[in-house]
Amino acid sequence: KKKKIQQEIKMSVWGKYLATGPDPREVESFSYSKKYLVAANLKSTVDKAKLQKIIKEYNSAGPIPAWVEAVFCPPSLYLEEALKTMRSDVAIGAQDCSANGYGAHTGEIAAEMLKDFGVKWVILGHSERRTNQKESSELIATKTRKAIDAGLQVMYCVGETLEEREAGKINAVVLDDHMAALKGK
């Protein structure tokens, strides 16, 4: 059982993607100046012991190809642990940031704080936050501007629900709502 879990962790790292390389249809036009982002979002699925185990697996996973930028996004409570123990060629990202800067915003983490702490990336607009926290595209666009202004790189998530897809509303959701909110930000 332990060996199976280790194999699953290795494959969940970036093993599957890195083992196969770029899509064979892209090889002729493939340029090493183009980077592929491979990011792990741990969501709220780990405790400290499990996080340390995953980081240990990442740290022993072998070299990351030049055409890959690897990012590891643990829950915010574990950002410090990841920053201290993750191998140096894997950037650390946060799973969210505040739409506000420094100030009296209980429970919020300002983008400037993340940057100051050593975080390089932030995930914004994840479907779970759009659904569960009712985050609007306007709010996410504001967070995106704050993150960019603070010097963070942003993974801006867009996408439609299954119901929206089945109703043929992909463009209305992704282009007219999610992406349009970024205009002027």
Side-chain angles (χ1 to χ4, degrees):
K1 184 176 178 178
K2 184 178 178 183
K3 188 173 184 173
K4 184 180 181 201
I5 291 171
Q6 288 175 332
Q7 287 174 331
E8 286 175 13
I9 290 172
K10 281 185 182 177
M11 293 312 284
S12 72
V13 178
W14 50 78
K16 287 180 185 177
Y17 184 74
L18 298 182
T20 61
D23 185 314
R25 295 168 291 194
E26 297 177 1
V27 171
E28 275 186 46
S29 63
F30 187 76
S31 164
Y32 284 101
S33 64
K34 182 177 182 179
K35 287 259 189 180
Y36 287 82
L37 180 65
V38 179
N41 177 6
L42 298 187
K43 304 185 181 201
S44 291
T45 63
V46 296
D47 59 17
K48 191 172 181 180
K50 188 172 182 182
L51 175 86
Q52 290 169 333
K53 186 182 283 188
I54 293 170
I55 290 174
K56 185 177 179 183
E57 289 291 330
Y58 269 66
N59 289 342
S60 64
I64 299 172
W67 47 270
V68 170
E69 180 161 3
V71 182
F72 186 78
C73 303
S76 60
L77 283 174
Y78 302 126
L79 284 169
E80 183 174 19
E81 180 73 18
L83 285 161
K84 286 181 178 178
T85 60
M86 180 60 77
R87 58 195 278 178
S88 63
D89 57 349
V90 176
I92 302 302
Q95 296 177 9
D96 190 39
C97 73
S98 175
N100 304 299
Y102 290 106
H105 309 290
T106 302
E108 296 290 310
I109 301 174
E112 298 88 349
M113 293 174 174
L114 293 170
K115 180 68 175 176
D116 185 51
F117 204 56
V119 171
K120 304 286 184 213
W121 284 86
V122 63
I123 301 170
L124 296 173
H126 197 285
S127 62
E128 292 158 359
R129 293 197 61 86
R130 288 179 187 270
T131 301
N132 300 335
Q133 279 78 29
K134 309 293 184 227
E135 290 190 353
S136 69
S137 292
E138 281 296 324
L139 175 63
I140 296 161
T142 300
K143 289 181 175 191
T144 299
R145 176 77 285 155
K146 285 287 188 184
I148 291 169
D149 288 349
L152 295 172
Q153 295 185 70
V154 175
M155 286 179 248
Y156 185 80
C157 303
V158 298
E160 73 285 350
T161 64
L162 177 60
E163 295 79 23
E164 291 165 338
R165 181 181 306 145
E166 288 174 347
K169 296 181 179 178
I170 296 171
N171 286 343
V173 173
V174 174
L175 299 177
D176 298 341
D177 180 42
H178 296 180
M179 296 303 290
L182 293 175
K183 285 184 178 181
K185 292 288 178 188

